[in-house]
Amino acid sequence: MNRRRFLGLGASVLGAGALAAVAVPSAARLLGEGRPGRLLTSGLELPPPFQVPLPVPPVLKPVGGDATGDRYEIVQQVARLEILPGVKTEAWTYGGSWPGPTVVARSGRAAVVTHRNQLPVPSVVHLHGGHTPADSDGYPVDLLLPVGSSGSSGAMAGMAGMAGMPGMDHHAAGKSVTGERTHTYPGHQRAATLWYHDHRMGFTGPGVWRGLAGFHLVHDDEEAALPLPHGDRDLPLMLADRAFAEDGSFRYPAAGDDEPGVTSDYMNGVLGDVILVNGAPWPRLDVDRARYRLRFLNASNARLYRLELDPQPPGGDALVQIGSDGGLLEAPVAHDALEIAPAERFDVVVDFSRYPPGTAVRLLNRFGSGRTAEVMRFDVSSRQVSDDATVPEQLSTIEKLDASAAANTRDFTFRRSRGDGWTINGDPYEPGRDIARPALGATELWRFSTDLHHPVHVHLNHFQVLSRNGADPGPYDAGWKDTVDLRPAEEVEVLVRFTDYAGTYMLHCHNLEHEDMAMMADFVVE
């Protein structure tokens, strides 16, 4: 980065006056590695690591169905959970657990999910990575009001602090419902690790922080025909960091009662000092000397992870990536470490037979320090077991999108505003105002550029990363993606084809504090 570019970036982040008031080394530290967020510490003694067994989220059973699909019901409710040993924490949950129950769907078969809101606040459900019609996508002001709420006045009460925003009165009143909402996910997509979470405008951060997240797994015939690990050796792993108050409740630096966003100290993201996997602090898992499929999901609000096994197996290449946000890669990619930004998913295979019996294998976070540098532990059994799983050299066939066929090239800049907020193309979010209108069936080239660190998420369709800073894609960009990790002062080009469904969808940063403080935009497929 040359001096002119550095000073220009500093001015956009800090403002010209602020840049003049700080030494260049301070600005350099601000940019640095670009990892966002501020640590929020817990007010009670934290448990030692690797004591709690890894929980596996329950699989949700259908309540009915027919030849075309299955019906599910989920009650959003307050529950008191034992997250830290011996301590009860009040959580907002899907179905009374955190993570919520896992929906297991089949490609080509619809999953029809009815949510009933018994929380004290409105909610919005988004199936992240889902290829869905617009009315089931989870637009951030399409509120599901709690049971017993009344009409549009209840909608606006639920959006305290945002009622004066342009477009709010019409959109919140027009699309809000009370008590229950049914989402139809047609299943017109390949096997993939998806997840569902709260998406309420201005309050996604606290909603997810308090527990509103769960897995949604899609399977298909192509994946089933491969000799990959399955059954008990196919594990969804939701990574999240949280902080707790002295009484065991979640700590979160909300801007105020019913106010969207966070206090200014935390506007670049909230980091917790407790690392949770599937809702358990620093858990442990007994594993056979066999291959396991680990479906990593970063469900943290803002924390980045660099995952690494310690010790590394002989020869390295410990984490063999087989899938990304949008499902299987064409061919496996071996990593010694894996960098995962908020909302990204990486499916990897780990062969624990490469370790001697009795080895304790820690999963580390090289981007963490102190307690946040450890994630969980795998204890390798000494039992003799059979393992017929392998990782084929060819996993799938992926159609390569053609940049020369792009109907449009669009630029989207992700920047901090000069006030306490975040912008796309210089504007904070306004519901109902679109930033692009791609044609249904068209392929477009979208170019994302950043000031600081922003994981960028596109709704409706997965995309393919074309380049980073004019060069080849990065080591974690393979396959179909719906979230791409952008580091400071970086530019990434992606190709996306808009298929099947017209309507209004979202483009936003998936640092949830950035999202809540207006780093979102609508696009309309027409």
Side-chain angles (χ1 to χ4, degrees):
M1 186 187 304
N2 63 35
R3 177 178 172 82
R4 178 176 298 176
R5 172 66 178 138
F6 175 83
L7 293 175
L9 176 62
S12 71
V13 175
L14 300 172
L19 182 64
V22 298
V24 169
S26 297
R29 282 195 298 271
L30 173 67
L31 298 177
E33 298 267 344
R35 293 195 291 276
R38 181 184 178 94
L39 186 67
L40 185 66
T41 57
S42 295
L44 74 176
E45 185 177 354
L46 300 179
F50 318 135
Q51 304 299 307
V52 179
L54 175 76
V56 177
V59 173
L60 188 64
K61 295 181 179 179
V63 297
D66 55 26
T68 62
D70 298 297
R71 292 186 292 107
Y72 301 88
E73 293 178 353
I74 296 176
V75 177
Q76 303 173 8
Q77 61 194 83
V78 175
R80 288 180 59 79
L81 306 177
E82 186 172 321
I83 298 172
L84 301 179
V87 178
K88 291 292 187 178
T89 300
E90 183 177 285
W92 296 348
T93 73
Y94 295 119
S97 67
W98 180 45
T102 298
V103 177
V104 179
R106 192 80 185 175
S107 179
R109 185 172 176 82
V112 181
V113 185
T114 297
H115 282 261
R116 180 175 177 83
N117 184 0
Q118 294 182 351
L119 297 169
V121 296
S123 65
V124 176
V125 179
H126 170 54
L127 178 58
H128 187 116
H131 184 57
T132 64
D135 60 2
S136 290
D137 185 57
Y139 192 69
V141 290
D142 287 352
L143 303 178
L144 174 58
L145 306 177
V147 173
S149 299
S150 58
S152 61
S153 61
M156 296 315 299
M159 297 300 290
M162 303 200 107
M165 290 188 64
M168 282 299 301
D169 294 332
H170 167 75
H171 210 99
K175 295 291 185 67
S176 296
V177 297
T178 299
E180 293 185 351
R181 186 191 294 274
T182 297
H183 298 259
T184 299
Y185 307 126
H188 296 157
Q189 60 186 109
R190 41 200 313 259
T193 301
L194 315 180
W195 65 303
Y196 61 101
H197 62 79
D198 191 47
H199 205 254
R200 179 165 63 119
M201 180 170 164
F203 298 90
T204 297
V208 173
W209 188 269
R210 290 185 170 96
L212 292 175
F215 282 99
H216 184 117
L217 308 181
V218 180
H219 297 298
D220 64 13
D221 292 341
E222 178 188 46
E223 180 189 66
L226 297 175
L228 298 171
H230 59 277
D232 292 343
R233 295 176 185 165
D234 181 351
L235 293 170
L237 300 176
M238 180 184 288
L239 311 182
D241 60 332
R242 298 291 185 266
F244 297 84
E246 290 182 2
D247 62 359
S249 61
F250 287 121
R251 289 194 67 196
Y252 187 79
D257 293 339
D258 297 322
E259 290 293 325
V262 291
T263 58
S264 59
D265 285 349
Y266 290 90
M267 67 172 294
N268 198 23
V270 183
L271 309 179
D273 60 353
V274 179
I275 303 297
L276 303 164
V277 184
N278 291 348
W282 300 285
R284 57 172 295 275
L285 177 68
D286 292 326
V287 293
D288 296 325
R289 297 188 67 238
R291 294 176 181 85
Y292 281 72
R293 178 176 182 169
L294 308 179
R295 299 173 182 257
F296 288 120
L297 157 64
N298 183 352
S300 298
N301 283 31
R303 183 178 291 279
L304 305 171
Y305 297 83
R306 182 176 172 87
L307 302 177
E308 185 176 306
L309 295 181
D310 179 42
Q312 288 277 316
D317 292 342
L319 305 168
V320 179
Q321 185 186 355
I322 60 169
S324 188
D325 302 338
L328 292 172
L329 307 182
E330 277 196 325
V333 179
H335 303 282
D336 289 325
L338 197 64
E339 294 183 15
I340 179 170
E344 286 190 299
R345 286 89 66 210
F346 287 89
D347 284 12
V348 304
V349 172
V350 174
D351 185 358
F352 288 105
S353 71
R354 299 172 68 188
Y355 291 99
T359 305
V361 182
R362 294 183 304 160
L363 180 65
L364 302 180
N365 171 28
R366 294 299 191 187
F367 283 163
S369 61
R371 298 297 302 275
T372 64
E374 294 183 310
V375 179
M376 66 175 293
R377 193 178 76 191
F378 302 95
D379 292 336
V380 181
S381 171
S382 58
R383 294 179 302 156
Q384 294 294 320
V385 297
S386 61
D387 180 21
D388 57 359
T390 61
V391 178
E393 293 183 4
Q394 178 75 24
L395 295 166
S396 182
T397 300
I398 295 178
E399 177 191 0
K400 294 291 192 296
L401 299 183
D402 183 2
S404 67
N408 288 292
T409 296
R410 304 183 193 269
D411 288 283
F412 303 96
T413 59
F414 292 74
R415 300 284 187 270
R416 181 171 175 172
S417 71
R418 293 185 180 275
D420 286 338
W422 301 88
T423 66
I424 300 178
N425 286 357
D427 293 318
Y429 180 58
E430 179 182 323
R433 181 183 64 193
D434 64 84
I435 200 169
R437 287 185 168 260
L440 186 63
T443 298
E444 295 199 350
L445 191 156
W446 285 13
R447 185 181 295 120
F448 306 134
S449 60
T450 63
D451 54 2
L452 299 179
H453 195 285
H454 302 293
V456 177
H457 173 47
V458 178
H459 288 212
L460 178 59
N461 283 99
H462 290 88
F463 52 77
Q464 295 174 4
V465 178
L466 182 64
S467 69
R468 280 186 182 266
N469 298 321
D472 290 339
Y476 311 113
D477 291 335
W480 289 102
K481 299 282 292 174
D482 60 48
T483 306
V484 63
D485 184 30
L486 272 71
R487 293 177 290 271
E490 192 165 40
E491 180 180 275
V492 171
E493 293 181 326
V494 306
L495 290 168
V496 56
R497 183 168 58 201
F498 300 92
T499 60
D500 294 330
Y501 309 115
T504 300
Y505 293 91
M506 301 293 302
L507 166 72
H508 62 85
C509 177
H510 220 284
N511 177 318
L512 298 187
E513 282 68 51
H514 294 183
E515 175 181 339
D516 282 347
M517 300 181 79
M519 192 169 255
M520 301 194 295
D522 290 353
F523 66 89
V524 178
V525 180
E526 55 185 9

